[in-house]
Structures are given as structure tokens and as C-alpha cells.
Amino acid sequence: MTSTPRRASRSAVAVPSIRDVAAAAGVSYQTVSRVLNDSPKVRAETRAAVLAAIDRLGFRPSRAARALSLGRARAITVVTSNTVLYGYAATLQGIEEAARTAGLAVGIRVVESAEPAEVKQTVDDVSDASAGGVVVIAFDPSGVAVLEALPRHVPAVAAAEPAAPDRGRVSIALDERRAAADATRHLLALGHRTVHHVAIPSEGGAGGRLAGWRDALGESGAPIPAVLDCGWDIASAYTAGRRLAADPDVTAILCGNDDIAQGVRRALYDAGKAVPGDVSIVGFDDIPGSAYWTPALTTVRMDFAGLGRACFHAAVAELTGQEQPEPALVAPSLVVRESTGSPRSF
């Protein structure tokens, strides 16, 4: 068996870590944490092996780590690239609500880009024991880069896209792929020949919303149009909407989120296109206010707050070495309103 090299210690003297103890005792680092916390869930022989390894290596938990284990300075740090967009903000809200109920502090570390220097600084900041458990909102390349760069000893979980690859971390996602397929099927069932898609940025261009859209078109035998990519901003969605408005064959559009739907809706309006008379639109996320647009937006309701709460509980389990809880999430669901209808007959 080969050993994985550890990062160089900041001090000149190599100090044994909790993972060194785990390797010496032949157990997981979570089991070592349980022993340090006097958990009753550890078998007597396992506890003896861990304590022997601690004594043999001269392991001593740092003061900060000890404070965390005793609950005096327990905390959760959230890494996110955005605190304003609805999905990010609602996930943060869920984390904060759960932490407040549990009496834990929440810190936020904004990672401004996926540039190596920014990622390294973020990783250094949240690798300190005082950061406690870490939740990475990995909806974009910046969050993904931090997640991949985090040292293994950092107790971290990810709020991720459903199609994200396994990175050896606890990852929790909402099943937006199925929801996107349901939204596309809704438009096809109304009689639209196909559905166009304006996509939000996603990891590797393989996000669940894009995949679900393709799934539904493929299973129905409908043509699969080229995807129009845009950024997170409404202005880029407006530009994409102008392109779609110029095509008379476009009668139905699935938008990557509700903000994108707003930009596309304005472009259609400026081009003299009626919604849903000429073009039907479906958004995603069900942001506050989408039910009060003119017309009210058909969209997919996403339980981002529930996702945040689930990530919080998973991060606490990682921090304390407890068994991972089953995430309690409300499945995404299509909310049909006024912005979708049957295509006009010509």
C-alpha cells in the first residue's frame, strides 16, 4: 500500500495529524474524531487501538480543533462565488437557518474567480481549524476549483450539480435533470414541435437542466436545436432572446433560470412577440415574484433552502465524525402558470 504525501507543515517540526492516527490504528479519521469526542458508538477494541496510536505518535489535538470538538467554537464556513443570485442566496439562507437553530456560527468566504491564486488563498483560509466544517457551493467553476483543491483533512461537503463527478466528498444535489425533462415534456404536450434552450453556465457544459432538456427531446423524437449559452446576467439572456425572436420557427423556450427567462421575455416583447401567444416560456427556480410577472411565469420550483439545510447537517456530521444523515429534500416540481400555451396555428 502506498501512502499519500501530506502537505508540508507550516512549522519546521512535523506534527502528527488526525489522519496519521487513523492510518496507524487502521481506522477512518471520523472514527478517531469519535474517540476524541468520547462517542459511545465506538467499540472498545477500536477505541483501545486508537488511543494506543495516539500515545505512540504523541498526537495532541490543536487548541482550535479541541475547541471545535467540545462545541465551544464550532462553526460552518460557506465558500461561494456569489451571494446575490437566487440559487446561491437561498442555499445560504438554508445553511444560516439550520446553523442558527443549532447554535453554530456561519462564516462566508467569497471566491471571486477560478484563478489559481484566488483559489489557493480561499483554500488556505478555510483549511484553518477555526473555519470548522466547510460547505462549498459548487455550482460553477470557482466553487468546483476550491472543492478539488481542499486538503483531505478539511471536513467539507458540497452543494453540487446533479451530474457532477465523484470527488470523494459528500455532495448533495437537487434532481434538476428530471425537473427539466418534465418542463420540456410539458411544452411538447401542448403541441410545440420542439423546445429551444437558453442555458446558464455549468460545469463542463453538462448541467442537469441541459441534460434533462435533451432527455425529453430525445425520447419524444423531437428535433434538438442548438443550445444558446449565456452568462448569469439578464443582459446576455436578452441577447440570446433577440436571436430566438428572429427565428419564426421558435415557439417554445426553456430558460436556465428565471432571471434568464426575464431577459428572454423582454427580447420577445421588443420584437413584437406575444407570450404565450407566439412563444411559450418556462423558467427555472421559481424566484420570489415570478408568479406576479405579466404573464405569470411557468417555472420549476427548487428547494434551495432545503439543500442548504441538508448541506449544513452533512457538514456537521463531517466535523464531528458522526454518521451522515439522509438529506431531507423536496423534489423540484413544475409550476404551470400563464407563460405557456399551445402554439398558434398558421
Side-chain angles (χ1 to χ4, degrees):
M1 183 176 76
T2 59
S3 60
T4 302
R6 300 196 311 274
R7 289 178 179 267
S9 172
R10 292 184 180 180
S11 64
V13 179
V15 177
S17 70
I18 192 171
R19 290 187 178 272
D20 295 326
V21 174
V27 299
S28 68
Y29 77 88
Q30 292 96 333
T31 297
V32 177
S33 179
R34 292 188 188 102
V35 172
L36 293 171
N37 294 334
D38 294 323
S39 171
K41 296 184 177 182
V42 182
R43 292 182 301 174
E45 58 270 29
T46 302
R47 185 183 304 277
V50 170
L51 291 175
I54 288 173
D55 184 63
R56 186 166 63 253
L57 295 176
F59 171 75
R60 295 292 180 271
S62 70
R63 292 177 63 186
R66 185 62 178 165
L68 288 170
S69 70
L70 292 175
R72 290 195 295 267
R74 290 169 64 186
I76 296 295
T77 299
V78 183
V79 177
T80 180
S81 68
N82 195 293
T83 59
V84 177
L85 288 171
Y86 177 70
Y88 295 81
T91 302
L92 279 170
Q93 177 185 348
I95 295 169
E96 193 279 329
E97 288 174 350
R100 184 161 18 102
T101 299
L104 269 67
V106 175
I108 299 175
R109 176 54 162 92
V110 175
V111 53
E112 296 183 354
S113 74
E115 291 296 319
E118 173 66 11
V119 170
K120 181 180 183 304
Q121 184 60 60
T122 302
V123 168
D124 288 346
D125 289 347
V126 301
S127 294
D128 189 277
S130 63
V134 178
V135 176
V136 181
I137 299 182
F139 294 162
D140 52 56
S142 300
V144 170
V146 171
L147 184 66
E148 291 180 336
L150 278 175
R152 296 304 309 170
H153 71 268
V154 175
V157 302
E161 291 187 332
D166 184 1
R167 295 186 170 88
R169 296 280 189 182
V170 175
S171 294
I172 304 176
L174 297 169
D175 191 1
E176 55 188 33
R177 180 170 185 163
R178 177 178 295 182
D182 288 344
T184 305
R185 293 187 193 104
H186 166 69
L187 289 165
L188 294 173
L190 290 171
H192 296 278
R193 187 178 69 90
T194 190
V195 178
H196 290 71
H197 184 43
V198 181
I200 55 175
S202 66
E203 182 185 351
R209 305 178 188 197
L210 176 62
W213 167 76
R214 281 205 177 104
D215 290 344
L217 292 180
E219 71 186 21
S220 70
I224 302 178
V227 176
L228 273 73
D229 295 314
C230 68
W232 293 109
D233 60 297
I234 296 178
S236 65
Y238 179 84
T239 300
R242 289 297 295 262
R243 290 178 58 187
L244 291 172
D247 185 347
D249 291 331
V250 174
T251 65
I253 305 170
L254 174 64
C255 299
N257 65 22
D258 291 349
D259 288 336
I260 301 305
Q262 185 177 12
V264 170
R265 169 71 182 94
R266 179 68 198 197
L268 293 170
Y269 175 84
D270 287 350
K273 299 273 189 175
V275 175
D278 296 316
V279 182
S280 289
I281 299 177
V282 176
F284 226 99
D285 293 348
D286 194 23
I287 66 174
S290 61
Y292 301 96
W293 293 2
T294 302
L297 183 66
T298 294
T299 185
V300 173
R301 181 169 294 158
M302 296 282 282
D303 184 22
F304 286 115
L307 175 64
R309 289 190 292 269
C311 287
F312 168 81
H313 293 303
V316 170
E318 285 290 289
L319 179 64
T320 59
Q322 302 300 309
E323 184 177 350
Q324 279 292 327
E326 187 68 26
L329 298 172
V330 176
S333 60
L334 181 67
V335 181
V336 178
R337 298 191 180 114
E338 299 167 348
S339 66
T340 54
S342 299
R344 286 179 176 171
S345 300
F346 295 95

